[in-house]
Amino acid sequence: MKILLIGEYSRLHNSLKEGLITLGHEVTIIGSGDDFKKYNVDHTIFPKFFKSTFIGKITKKIFYRITKVNLEMTEQGIRFYFLLSKLKGYNHIQLINSDALETHPKFEISLYKKLLKQNEQISLLVCGDETPIIDYNLTKSPKYSVLSPYLENQKLKNLFQYSLKYTQNNYRNLFEWVKAQSNVLITSDLDYELPMQNMGYTTRFIPNPINTDKIKYNQPIVHDKIVIFLGINRLSYLKKGIHFFEEALKIIQKKYNDKVEIITTENIPYNEYIKLYNRAHILLDQVYAYDQGYNALEAMAKGKVVFTGAEEEFNTHYNLKKPVAINALPNTDSIVKELSYLIENPEKITEISKRAHLFIEKEHNYIKIAKEYLDTWKKNT
C-alpha cells in the first residue's frame, strides 16, 4: 500500500511509519514537526517565514492585531496547498487530528477536499484534543482530565485556548466534516477511547506503536544516587499537572538530598530531550491521565519507572496484576509518597522496569500495531 500520514505531535506517526515500511509499504509523513520538538517529517509545512524571520514575526503581530487572523496558520495551509501536486495515488490517508494541517478550518476543509479527489480513502486518529474529547471533559464526568485545572479555575481560560478552540463552531464543523469523510475513527489510548465511547462514537482502539527494535532496554542499576527526570513543556504545563511534580521534587530534594539527582529541562527538541533522560531511573510524565501517552511509553520501553496515567481502567483493560508504571495522581503528597517508597526500596525500580519493558514488547510493538492499522483500514474500505 501507499500510505500518507498527516500530522506528527509525539512520534506516533514516525513509529507507525517504521512498522509499515518493515511490512513492505510505502509511507510519507507531512507535518510541521510540532514547533520546538522538531519531529521528523518527509514534507514540512512549518510556517518558517512567520515563525522564524524577524520581518515575518513583526508582520504577523501587526496583522493579527488589526484583523485577528493568524498568518502562521495561513502559511501552513499555503505550504500544504503547494504540496498537493505531489500527493497523488495514495491508497490510504490518516489524519492525526481533524486539525492536522493547523490552518484555518474552512481553508482546511477545502484542502482536504482537493486531497481526497486524488486519493482513495481517509481515517481519523483521535490521540489528543478533539471536539468530542473536549465536550466530554467539560461535562466533568471523569474524576479528572487535562481540563481539570481550567474547570477548577476558569480564570485560566486563556491558557486553555488551544483545547477550548475545539468547541467553537468552525472547529466543530471541521471535526464533523472529517468524521463524515473518514472510513474509521481510531483511538490511541484510553484517555481518548473512554470519552469517545461515552459520547456515543464507534471507534477502533489501537495502542500507540513503539519501535522496540530501535529503543533498547537498559536495566536500571542504582550505583550511587537515584536519578529523577522531569521534562517541562510550557505549552502543556497545566494540562499535565507539572506543578504537582515540581512541588514534590522540592520535598524529595530536601528529604533525600544525598540519595537523589534531579534533572529538569524545559522546551527542548525531542532528540536532546531523549539524550538527557537516558541517565534517569525515574521519569515524571503527567498526572491527569488514565493511560500512558507516547512519551511515557518510550521511556517504559527503555526501562524507566514512569509516573503517568495508570488507573484501574488501564490495569483492567490489559489485565495487569502488578504495576508497569506508577499512577501519578494530582496530589503532591501522593507523588512524594510514591517517590519516597522507590528511593527507600531501589530494588522495586528494577522490578517495575522489567515489567514495563515486557508490557511494551507485548502490547505496543510497532510491527504488531502496524498490522492492526492495516487490518483496520482494509476492513473499513
Side-chain angles (χ1 to χ4, degrees), residues 205-328:
F205 175 59
I206 305 178
N208 284 298
I210 300 295
N211 189 332
T212 47
D213 291 328
K214 193 172 185 178
I215 300 174
K216 299 302 180 184
Y217 173 69
N218 292 307
Q219 182 173 312
I221 300 172
V222 181
H223 293 295
D224 182 19
K225 293 184 176 183
I226 291 171
V227 181
I228 305 171
F229 180 88
L230 173 63
I232 300 172
N233 174 354
R234 281 291 158 190
L235 296 177
S236 59
Y237 181 89
L238 290 173
K239 291 170 66 175
K240 291 196 171 186
I242 298 300
H243 69 282
F244 291 108
F245 289 138
E246 290 180 317
E247 290 167 4
L249 287 177
K250 287 178 183 177
I251 296 169
I252 290 296
Q253 184 76 74
K254 188 174 182 180
K255 186 177 178 183
Y256 298 105
N257 185 52
D258 59 335
K259 292 185 177 181
V260 298
E261 177 186 349
I262 296 171
I263 302 173
T264 303
T265 67
E266 185 170 328
N267 287 13
I268 60 173
Y270 172 78
N271 289 334
E272 290 180 35
Y273 174 88
I274 294 300
K275 289 176 186 176
L276 285 169
Y277 90 48
N278 277 341
R279 289 181 51 236
H281 301 98
I282 297 170
L283 181 138
L284 307 180
D285 179 48
Q286 61 180 322
V287 303
Y288 296 118
Y290 288 71
D291 196 347
Q292 299 91 56
Y294 202 87
N295 179 54
L297 294 171
E298 281 199 331
M300 289 164 67
K302 286 192 172 187
K304 311 304 177 188
V305 174
V306 183
F307 280 59
T308 186
E311 279 286 354
E312 193 54 44
E313 291 88 343
F314 161 75
N315 292 319
T316 299
H317 178 83
Y318 289 105
N319 194 30
L320 299 173
K321 305 303 180 187
K322 293 183 178 180
V324 297
I326 305 300
N327 188 34

Side-chain angles (χ1 to χ4, degrees), residues 22-225:
T22 301
L23 294 171
H25 301 278
E26 181 184 340
V27 187
T28 302
I29 299 178
I30 289 178
S32 66
D34 200 19
D35 202 9
F36 68 84
K37 297 176 188 174
K38 298 180 181 177
Y39 292 115
N40 291 332
V41 295
D42 298 300
H43 298 294
T44 183
I45 55 171
F46 180 75
K48 56 186 177 183
F49 179 74
F50 289 114
K51 188 84 171 177
S52 303
T53 68
F54 177 75
I55 294 174
K57 288 178 181 178
I58 294 297
T59 304
K60 175 187 69 177
K61 286 181 181 178
I62 295 171
F63 195 79
Y64 184 79
R65 193 173 297 151
I66 297 169
T67 67
K68 299 303 178 186
V69 173
N70 185 323
L71 289 176
E72 281 184 23
M73 294 169 65
T74 306
E75 183 180 350
Q76 289 203 181
I78 291 171
R79 287 185 180 279
F80 183 80
Y81 175 81
F82 284 113
L83 285 172
L84 280 168
S85 61
K86 300 178 181 179
L87 307 178
K88 296 179 179 179
Y90 285 92
N91 304 111
H92 192 84
I93 301 164
Q94 179 163 277
L95 304 181
I96 205 162
N97 186 271
S98 60
D99 184 33
L101 301 180
E102 301 172 279
T103 190
H104 311 290
K106 285 186 178 179
F107 186 23
E108 198 152 9
I109 290 173
S110 71
L111 292 170
Y112 288 151
K113 285 179 179 178
K114 294 179 187 299
L115 182 67
L116 281 171
K117 281 182 180 178
Q118 56 196 40
N119 296 286
E120 291 185 23
Q121 65 176 32
I122 193 169
S123 62
L124 174 62
L125 175 57
V126 179
C127 60
D129 289 344
E130 193 64 90
T131 296
I133 306 298
I134 301 304
D135 284 346
Y136 178 69
N137 288 338
L138 285 172
T139 67
K140 302 183 182 180
S141 295
K143 60 185 175 184
Y144 54 72
S145 75
V146 292
L147 292 186
S148 288
Y150 164 69
L151 293 172
E152 292 166 7
N153 180 7
Q154 296 198 8
K155 291 180 180 178
L156 298 173
K157 185 175 182 178
N158 285 341
L159 299 174
F160 283 83
Q161 285 182 342
Y162 179 84
S163 297
L164 295 174
K165 76 179 185 183
Y166 289 95
T167 65
Q168 296 171 8
N169 286 337
N170 53 352
Y171 284 96
R172 193 176 293 281
N173 292 339
L174 174 63
F175 169 77
E176 291 296 334
W177 188 90
V178 170
K179 178 179 72 71
Q181 307 307 313
S182 297
N183 296 71
V184 62
L185 303 180
I186 300 171
T187 56
S188 64
D189 72 47
L190 296 175
D191 288 294
Y192 312 114
E193 175 66 6
L194 295 174
M196 290 296 282
Q197 286 180 357
N198 283 312
M199 294 298 285
Y201 290 88
T202 299
T203 58
R204 173 72 167 89
F205 175 59
I206 305 178
N208 284 298
I210 300 295
N211 189 332
T212 47
D213 291 328
K214 193 172 185 178
I215 300 174
K216 299 302 180 184
Y217 173 69
N218 292 307
Q219 182 173 312
I221 300 172
V222 181
H223 293 295
D224 182 19
K225 293 184 176 183

Side-chain angles (χ1 to χ4, degrees), residues 345-356:
N345 300 275
E347 71 280 1
K348 296 298 179 183
I349 293 176
T350 303
E351 291 175 14
I352 297 171
S353 166
K354 289 178 179 178
R355 289 197 296 269

